[in-house]
Amino acid sequence: MDRLHALEAALEKIVLDPKYHDILTLVKGVRNGIVYGCKVRFPHALVMIVLFRSGTLRSKAHLVYKATRQHARNLGLFALVYKSCMIFLRHTSPTGKERHYDSFLAGLLGGYTVFGRTIHNSVSQQIVIYVAARVCLALAKLAVQPREVGAGHGGAGHHHAVKGWELFGNGEMRRTLVRNGWPAFASLSWAMVMYIFRWHPEAVQSSLRSSMSYIYVQSDDWDSLRTLLWHNK
């Protein structure tokens, strides 16, 4: 028992030693990526596969496991590549500090390494599309946000003034864009996806195409009260 306590104390000393921080931040980054990937993907895959996929319980369980593993692997590996690159860039900086575009370069390398070569993997596609949508919203917000709008919360956990790009000034044009930007974005998004689904369905991602077909195409047909209200077919 004493040996166990001694080992625990020795490990505790190592993990709190600043000279091991860079290595251990990679370990924790991978750990957090894997854990978060499992938390996000497992319930989603469980519901979608159990409800909408045919097959045996064993085959469905395998698909859930496969999707969860892929999501966790992607996020864990991306964390490893991104944080490794950030550490390398910081150590090669003349000032020894992070430069303004280091995160962009590290994200570029991580994005290519983990996601850029897996276009035919549905899990990777979903992650990239999710990120791309959030980037579009963030860029739109930055475009109309004043150059300084008071205290905010930085990505590194520090409070600072939130700085936008203020591309459209701070007058009536900006207020008009803020007021109408989201309605226009939402309307055009649905207009485009419905047009593409109607005339070029093969171009729509398979899971989205399947759900849209279920709602908008299969609702055109029924042969009884039962298939109208209770069962789809």
Side-chain angles (χ1 to χ4, degrees), residues 37-215:
C38 290
K39 284 183 176 181
V40 170
R41 178 58 58 171
F42 177 74
H44 175 269
L46 183 65
V47 171
M48 296 301 292
I49 290 172
V50 169
L51 291 182
F52 297 107
R53 289 287 187 94
S54 58
T56 64
L57 184 61
R58 182 174 181 178
S59 67
K60 290 181 178 181
H62 177 70
L63 290 174
V64 171
Y65 165 74
K66 187 177 178 182
T68 303
R69 182 187 63 183
Q70 183 67 46
H71 201 130
R73 174 192 172 277
N74 283 358
L75 295 188
L77 183 56
F78 181 85
L80 176 63
V81 176
Y82 172 78
K83 292 177 77 68
S84 297
C85 190
M86 288 293 288
I87 291 170
F88 172 79
L89 291 171
R90 188 177 74 244
H91 283 294
T92 56
S93 169
T95 62
K97 296 180 180 180
E98 178 186 344
R99 290 162 292 194
H100 193 67
Y101 293 106
D102 284 359
S103 57
F104 178 87
L105 295 174
L108 187 69
L109 179 62
Y112 174 75
T113 303
V114 180
F115 299 102
R117 297 177 294 175
T118 54
I119 189 172
H120 299 298
N121 182 280
S122 61
V123 173
S124 295
Q125 282 186 353
Q126 289 166 12
I127 295 172
V128 172
I129 291 168
Y130 174 87
V131 170
R134 296 305 185 269
V135 168
C136 289
L137 290 175
L139 291 176
K141 184 183 292 185
L142 286 170
V144 299
Q145 194 166 270
R147 295 190 183 278
E148 193 165 313
V149 294
H153 196 277
H158 303 295
H159 290 274
H160 61 86
V162 178
K163 295 182 179 180
W165 295 339
E166 203 171 338
L167 298 182
F168 302 97
N170 200 23
E172 184 60 32
M173 179 181 288
R174 175 184 174 273
R175 287 190 288 272
T176 300
L177 286 170
V178 170
R179 184 171 59 250
N180 299 316
W182 175 255
F185 175 74
S187 303
L188 287 172
S189 295
W190 278 99
M192 289 303 300
V193 76
M194 297 312 298
Y195 177 85
I196 294 171
F197 173 71
R198 178 67 180 86
W199 299 109
H200 307 281
E202 71 285 349
V204 180
Q205 197 266 343
S206 60
S207 62
L208 177 59
R209 183 172 66 244
S210 177
S211 63
M212 293 179 74
S213 176
Y214 181 82
I215 297 172

Side-chain angles (χ1 to χ4, degrees), residues 52 209-233:
F52 297 107
R209 183 172 66 244
S210 177
S211 63
M212 293 179 74
S213 176
Y214 181 82
I215 297 172
Y216 308 116
V217 176
Q218 296 176 30
S219 58
D220 288 341
D221 300 304
W222 61 90
D223 57 16
S224 66
L225 181 63
R226 178 176 176 273
T227 56
L228 174 66
L229 298 177
W230 186 248
H231 278 286
N232 185 47
K233 294 181 180 179

Side-chain angles (χ1 to χ4, degrees), residues 6-22:
L7 177 61
E8 184 179 351
L11 291 174
E12 190 79 16
K13 185 177 180 180
I14 291 173
V15 300
L16 295 178
D17 192 330
K19 71 180 180 181
Y20 298 117
H21 180 269
D22 285 352

